[in-house]
Amino acid sequence: MAHVRFAPGVFLGDASRTVRAGGFRLGLWTAALPPEGMTPHVHEDAHFVLALDGGYRSLARDPWTPAGGAFGPGALVWNPPGVEHADCFERPGGRFLSVSFDPPPGASRGHPARLRQGVGEAAARRLIGRIVGFAPGDEMGLEGLALDLASAVLSPAELDEDAAPDWLLRAHEILHDLADRPGLEVRDVAGTVGVHPVSLARRYRRHFGRSPAAAIRQARADRATAFLKRGVDLAELAARAGYADQSHLTREFVTVYGLTPGRWRTTFG
Protein backbone atom coordinates (compact mmCIF):
# COMPACT_ATOMS: atom_id res chain seq x y z
CA MET A 1 0.00 0.00 0.00
CA ALA A 2 1.31 3.44 -0.87
CA HIS A 3 2.43 5.73 1.92
CA VAL A 4 1.01 8.87 0.32
CA ARG A 5 -2.03 9.45 -1.89
CA PHE A 6 -2.07 12.71 -3.86
CA ALA A 7 -5.23 14.57 -4.79
CA PRO A 8 -5.74 15.44 -8.48
CA GLY A 9 -3.15 17.82 -9.85
CA VAL A 10 -0.87 17.66 -6.79
CA PHE A 11 2.87 16.92 -7.08
CA LEU A 12 5.90 17.01 -4.80
CA GLY A 13 7.56 20.27 -5.76
CA ASP A 14 7.19 24.02 -5.97
CA ALA A 15 4.75 25.21 -8.63
CA SER A 16 5.70 28.31 -10.60
CA ARG A 17 2.45 28.26 -12.59
CA THR A 18 -0.73 26.19 -12.50
CA VAL A 19 -3.64 26.44 -14.93
CA ARG A 20 -6.95 24.63 -15.41
CA ALA A 21 -8.33 24.14 -18.90
CA GLY A 22 -11.32 21.96 -19.70
CA GLY A 23 -10.93 18.86 -17.54
CA PHE A 24 -7.13 19.23 -17.36
CA ARG A 25 -4.89 20.47 -14.56
CA LEU A 26 -1.55 21.76 -15.82
CA GLY A 27 1.50 23.00 -13.97
CA LEU A 28 5.16 23.96 -14.20
CA TRP A 29 7.12 22.66 -11.22
CA THR A 30 10.56 22.46 -9.63
CA ALA A 31 11.26 19.20 -7.80
CA ALA A 32 11.88 19.76 -4.10
CA LEU A 33 13.15 16.41 -2.82
CA PRO A 34 16.24 14.25 -3.45
CA PRO A 35 15.69 10.56 -4.26
CA GLU A 36 16.26 9.51 -0.66
CA GLY A 37 13.46 11.82 0.45
CA MET A 38 10.92 10.46 -2.03
CA THR A 39 8.43 7.96 -0.63
CA PRO A 40 6.21 5.66 -2.72
CA HIS A 41 2.91 7.34 -3.57
CA VAL A 42 -0.05 7.23 -5.92
CA HIS A 43 -1.97 9.92 -7.78
CA GLU A 44 -5.76 9.77 -7.88
CA ASP A 45 -5.79 11.01 -11.48
CA ALA A 46 -3.82 10.10 -14.58
CA HIS A 47 -0.93 12.36 -15.49
CA PHE A 48 1.88 13.12 -17.89
CA VAL A 49 5.26 14.49 -16.85
CA LEU A 50 7.56 16.22 -19.34
CA ALA A 51 11.04 16.41 -17.78
CA LEU A 52 12.66 19.73 -18.63
CA ASP A 53 15.98 18.68 -17.08
CA GLY A 54 17.96 15.45 -17.21
CA GLY A 55 18.31 12.86 -14.48
CA TYR A 56 14.63 11.90 -14.25
CA ARG A 57 14.16 8.41 -12.81
CA SER A 58 10.85 6.64 -13.40
CA LEU A 59 9.11 3.29 -13.43
CA ALA A 60 8.09 4.09 -17.01
CA ARG A 61 9.03 1.48 -19.57
CA ASP A 62 11.33 2.55 -22.38
CA PRO A 63 13.16 0.01 -24.58
CA TRP A 64 15.77 2.60 -25.59
CA THR A 65 16.87 3.43 -22.04
CA PRO A 66 19.15 0.99 -20.15
CA ALA A 67 17.54 -0.66 -17.14
CA GLY A 68 17.90 1.59 -14.13
CA GLY A 69 19.00 4.52 -16.27
CA ALA A 70 17.70 8.05 -15.88
CA PHE A 71 15.87 9.88 -18.64
CA GLY A 72 17.36 12.98 -20.22
CA PRO A 73 15.68 16.35 -20.76
CA GLY A 74 12.54 16.17 -22.92
CA ALA A 75 11.43 12.75 -21.68
CA LEU A 76 7.64 12.47 -21.72
CA VAL A 77 6.24 10.00 -19.16
CA TRP A 78 2.69 8.66 -18.82
CA ASN A 79 1.43 7.46 -15.44
CA PRO A 80 -2.07 5.89 -15.26
CA PRO A 81 -4.12 6.64 -12.15
CA GLY A 82 -3.49 4.63 -9.00
CA VAL A 83 -0.02 3.35 -9.94
CA GLU A 84 2.37 3.35 -6.99
CA HIS A 85 5.71 4.90 -7.86
CA ALA A 86 8.51 7.11 -6.55
CA ASP A 87 9.52 8.92 -9.74
CA CYS A 88 11.96 11.74 -9.08
CA PHE A 89 15.00 13.63 -10.31
CA GLU A 90 18.46 12.53 -9.22
CA ARG A 91 18.84 15.84 -7.39
CA PRO A 92 16.50 18.60 -6.23
CA GLY A 93 15.81 21.43 -8.65
CA GLY A 94 14.73 19.40 -11.67
CA ARG A 95 11.98 21.17 -13.60
CA PHE A 96 8.96 19.52 -15.15
CA LEU A 97 5.57 20.03 -16.77
CA SER A 98 2.57 18.15 -15.37
CA VAL A 99 -0.69 17.46 -17.19
CA SER A 100 -3.34 15.70 -15.06
CA PHE A 101 -6.86 14.58 -15.93
CA ASP A 102 -9.54 12.03 -15.11
CA PRO A 103 -9.63 9.33 -17.81
CA PRO A 104 -12.94 7.71 -18.82
CA PRO A 105 -14.25 4.86 -16.63
CA GLY A 106 -13.40 2.27 -19.28
CA ALA A 107 -9.70 3.18 -19.42
CA SER A 108 -7.34 0.46 -18.26
CA ARG A 109 -4.85 1.05 -15.47
CA GLY A 110 -1.94 -0.14 -17.60
CA HIS A 111 1.72 0.57 -16.91
CA PRO A 112 3.77 3.76 -16.78
CA ALA A 113 5.54 4.37 -20.07
CA ARG A 114 7.85 6.81 -21.76
CA LEU A 115 6.08 8.16 -24.83
CA ARG A 116 7.85 8.63 -28.14
CA GLN A 117 4.81 9.53 -30.21
CA GLY A 118 5.15 12.57 -32.48
CA VAL A 119 1.81 14.30 -31.91
CA GLY A 120 1.91 13.77 -28.16
CA GLU A 121 5.50 14.92 -27.76
CA ALA A 122 4.88 18.02 -29.87
CA ALA A 123 1.72 18.90 -27.94
CA ALA A 124 3.52 18.58 -24.58
CA ARG A 125 6.28 20.93 -25.68
CA ARG A 126 3.87 23.51 -27.04
CA LEU A 127 2.04 23.50 -23.71
CA ILE A 128 5.14 24.99 -22.06
CA GLY A 129 4.90 28.25 -23.96
CA ARG A 130 1.11 28.35 -23.62
CA ILE A 131 1.33 28.03 -19.84
CA VAL A 132 4.16 30.55 -19.45
CA GLY A 133 2.33 33.13 -21.56
CA PHE A 134 -1.17 32.24 -20.31
CA ALA A 135 -3.75 35.01 -20.49
CA PRO A 136 -7.55 35.04 -20.16
CA GLY A 137 -9.13 33.27 -23.10
CA ASP A 138 -6.24 30.85 -23.66
CA GLU A 139 -8.01 27.95 -21.95
CA MET A 140 -9.35 26.48 -25.18
CA GLY A 141 -5.91 26.38 -26.80
CA LEU A 142 -4.48 24.64 -23.76
CA GLU A 143 -7.35 22.18 -23.71
CA GLY A 144 -6.82 21.36 -27.38
CA LEU A 145 -3.13 20.56 -26.88
CA ALA A 146 -3.87 18.52 -23.75
CA LEU A 147 -6.47 16.50 -25.68
CA ASP A 148 -3.90 15.78 -28.40
CA LEU A 149 -1.58 14.54 -25.66
CA ALA A 150 -4.25 12.33 -24.06
CA SER A 151 -5.13 10.87 -27.47
CA ALA A 152 -1.64 9.38 -27.58
CA VAL A 153 -2.40 6.98 -24.72
CA LEU A 154 -6.16 6.31 -24.73
CA SER A 155 -7.34 3.72 -27.24
CA PRO A 156 -10.69 3.80 -29.11
CA ALA A 157 -11.80 0.78 -27.05
CA GLU A 158 -11.05 2.54 -23.77
CA LEU A 159 -13.08 5.52 -24.95
CA ASP A 160 -15.95 3.29 -26.12
CA GLU A 161 -15.84 4.93 -29.53
CA ASP A 162 -18.63 3.98 -31.90
CA ALA A 163 -17.38 2.68 -35.25
CA ALA A 164 -19.88 4.99 -36.98
CA PRO A 165 -19.92 8.21 -34.95
CA ASP A 166 -23.31 9.70 -35.81
CA TRP A 167 -22.62 12.28 -33.12
CA LEU A 168 -19.73 13.83 -35.03
CA LEU A 169 -21.79 15.99 -37.40
CA ARG A 170 -23.94 17.10 -34.47
CA ALA A 171 -20.78 18.08 -32.60
CA HIS A 172 -19.58 19.98 -35.68
CA GLU A 173 -22.84 21.92 -35.88
CA ILE A 174 -22.92 22.64 -32.15
CA LEU A 175 -19.31 23.77 -32.20
CA HIS A 176 -20.03 26.36 -34.88
CA ASP A 177 -23.35 27.43 -33.36
CA LEU A 178 -21.73 28.10 -29.98
CA ALA A 179 -18.37 29.43 -31.17
CA ASP A 180 -19.20 32.97 -30.03
CA ARG A 181 -20.09 31.83 -26.51
CA PRO A 182 -17.41 33.14 -24.12
CA GLY A 183 -15.45 30.40 -22.36
CA LEU A 184 -16.60 27.62 -24.69
CA GLU A 185 -14.43 24.53 -24.26
CA VAL A 186 -14.18 21.28 -26.20
CA ARG A 187 -15.50 19.34 -23.20
CA ASP A 188 -18.73 21.39 -23.36
CA VAL A 189 -19.36 20.19 -26.91
CA ALA A 190 -18.35 16.62 -26.03
CA GLY A 191 -20.72 16.60 -23.07
CA THR A 192 -23.59 17.78 -25.24
CA VAL A 193 -23.19 14.87 -27.68
CA GLY A 194 -22.38 12.36 -24.92
CA VAL A 195 -18.76 11.39 -25.64
CA HIS A 196 -15.43 11.82 -23.86
CA PRO A 197 -13.49 14.96 -24.95
CA VAL A 198 -10.55 12.83 -26.12
CA SER A 199 -12.89 10.85 -28.37
CA LEU A 200 -14.28 14.04 -29.90
CA ALA A 201 -10.80 15.49 -30.41
CA ARG A 202 -9.46 12.39 -32.15
CA ARG A 203 -12.50 11.76 -34.36
CA TYR A 204 -12.88 15.43 -35.27
CA ARG A 205 -9.26 15.71 -36.35
CA ARG A 206 -9.55 12.49 -38.40
CA HIS A 207 -12.70 13.62 -40.23
CA PHE A 208 -12.19 17.37 -40.55
CA GLY A 209 -8.40 17.67 -40.63
CA ARG A 210 -8.07 19.93 -37.61
CA SER A 211 -8.78 19.89 -33.90
CA PRO A 212 -12.10 21.04 -32.41
CA ALA A 213 -10.23 23.89 -30.70
CA ALA A 214 -8.83 25.04 -34.04
CA ALA A 215 -12.32 24.85 -35.57
CA ILE A 216 -13.77 27.04 -32.79
CA ARG A 217 -10.90 29.49 -33.22
CA GLN A 218 -11.53 29.68 -36.97
CA ALA A 219 -15.31 30.11 -36.58
CA ARG A 220 -14.78 32.99 -34.14
CA ALA A 221 -12.26 34.69 -36.41
CA ASP A 222 -14.60 34.35 -39.39
CA ARG A 223 -17.38 36.04 -37.43
CA ALA A 224 -14.97 38.72 -36.31
CA THR A 225 -14.28 39.66 -39.94
CA ALA A 226 -17.96 40.47 -40.41
CA PHE A 227 -17.87 42.80 -37.39
CA LEU A 228 -14.66 44.39 -38.69
CA LYS A 229 -16.33 45.17 -42.01
CA ARG A 230 -19.20 46.87 -40.17
CA GLY A 231 -16.78 49.07 -38.21
CA VAL A 232 -17.56 47.61 -34.78
CA ASP A 233 -15.21 48.81 -32.04
CA LEU A 234 -12.60 46.15 -31.26
CA ALA A 235 -13.47 45.87 -27.56
CA GLU A 236 -17.16 45.41 -28.42
CA LEU A 237 -16.24 43.01 -31.22
CA ALA A 238 -14.26 40.86 -28.79
CA ALA A 239 -17.23 40.54 -26.46
CA ARG A 240 -19.73 39.80 -29.24
CA ALA A 241 -17.55 37.22 -31.00
CA GLY A 242 -16.81 35.16 -27.87
CA TYR A 243 -13.35 36.42 -26.90
CA ALA A 244 -12.29 37.08 -23.31
CA ASP A 245 -11.03 40.57 -24.17
CA GLN A 246 -9.43 42.58 -26.97
CA SER A 247 -5.99 41.07 -26.34
CA HIS A 248 -7.45 37.57 -26.70
CA LEU A 249 -9.14 38.65 -29.95
CA THR A 250 -5.83 39.86 -31.37
CA ARG A 251 -3.88 36.72 -30.44
CA GLU A 252 -6.48 34.34 -31.85
CA PHE A 253 -7.14 36.40 -34.98
CA VAL A 254 -3.43 36.48 -35.82
CA THR A 255 -3.27 32.70 -35.34
CA VAL A 256 -6.00 32.19 -37.96
CA TYR A 257 -5.38 34.98 -40.48
CA GLY A 258 -1.79 36.08 -39.85
CA LEU A 259 -2.94 39.69 -39.46
CA THR A 260 -4.08 41.74 -36.50
CA PRO A 261 -7.76 42.80 -36.57
CA GLY A 262 -6.63 46.40 -37.11
CA ARG A 263 -4.49 45.45 -40.10
CA TRP A 264 -7.34 43.37 -41.50
CA ARG A 265 -9.70 46.33 -41.24
CA THR A 266 -7.18 48.63 -42.94
CA THR A 267 -6.57 46.14 -45.75
CA PHE A 268 -10.09 44.86 -46.40
CA GLY A 269 -12.42 47.25 -44.60
Side-chain angles (χ1 to χ4, degrees):
M1 180 176 293
H3 302 290
V4 180
R5 189 173 188 87
F6 289 156
V10 175
F11 292 84
L12 284 172
D14 301 315
S16 61
R17 194 75 188 265
T18 59
V19 179
R20 293 183 69 97
F24 294 90
R25 296 166 285 273
L26 308 99
L28 294 173
W29 305 78
T30 300
L33 296 176
E36 60 270 19
M38 182 67 69
T39 57
H41 57 274
V42 300
H43 296 260
E44 294 181 359
D45 54 1
H47 68 272
F48 299 91
V49 165
L50 177 67
L52 304 183
D53 293 299
Y56 188 70
R57 294 191 173 276
S58 171
L59 287 178
R61 298 175 175 178
D62 180 36
W64 288 277
T65 301
F71 295 148
L76 178 61
V77 171
W78 159 247
N79 274 310
V83 174
E84 181 177 307
H85 68 92
D87 292 5
C88 64
F89 285 91
E90 293 178 320
R91 59 185 60 86
R95 298 163 297 175
F96 64 98
L97 161 75
S98 69
V99 180
S100 305
F101 71 106
D102 299 314
S108 63
R109 173 167 163 170
H111 299 281
R114 176 172 179 176
L115 303 181
R116 297 181 181 271
Q117 193 259 18
V119 173
E121 286 195 301
R125 284 159 174 75
R126 289 175 62 195
L127 280 169
I128 300 293
R130 289 291 190 118
I131 294 172
V132 170
F134 179 80
D138 289 348
E139 291 87 353
M140 186 182 66
L142 283 169
E143 184 192 26
L145 289 171
L147 286 169
D148 285 344
L149 182 54
S151 294
V153 295
L154 296 178
S155 70
E158 289 175 313
L159 293 164
D160 194 25
E161 289 183 348
D162 189 345
D166 295 333
W167 46 264
L168 193 58
L169 288 179
R170 284 198 296 123
H172 184 67
E173 293 173 356
I174 292 169
L175 182 151
H176 284 79
D177 289 344
L178 300 182
D180 55 4
R181 193 181 83 182
L184 178 67
E185 294 178 329
V186 175
R187 68 168 174 174
D188 300 326
V189 180
T192 301
V193 298
V195 300
H196 194 276
V198 177
S199 231
L200 174 58
R202 176 159 48 208
R203 289 301 185 88
Y204 197 93
R205 183 184 291 277
R206 184 185 305 164
H207 284 77
F208 296 105
R210 59 180 181 271
S211 69
I216 293 171
R217 188 178 296 118
Q218 179 175 306
R220 281 180 178 161
D222 289 346
R223 293 178 188 181
T225 62
F227 288 121
L228 288 170
K229 184 175 182 179
R230 287 154 49 188
V232 176
D233 174 78
L234 292 181
E236 179 186 351
L237 187 161
R240 294 174 64 178
Y243 297 98
D245 52 31
Q246 187 173 330
S247 177
H248 182 213
L249 159 66
T250 299
R251 293 194 307 275
E252 296 285 274
F253 197 89
V254 168
T255 297
V256 175
Y257 282 109
L259 299 171
T260 65
R263 183 68 181 275
W264 176 280
R265 176 174 280 165
T266 300
T267 304
F268 301 108

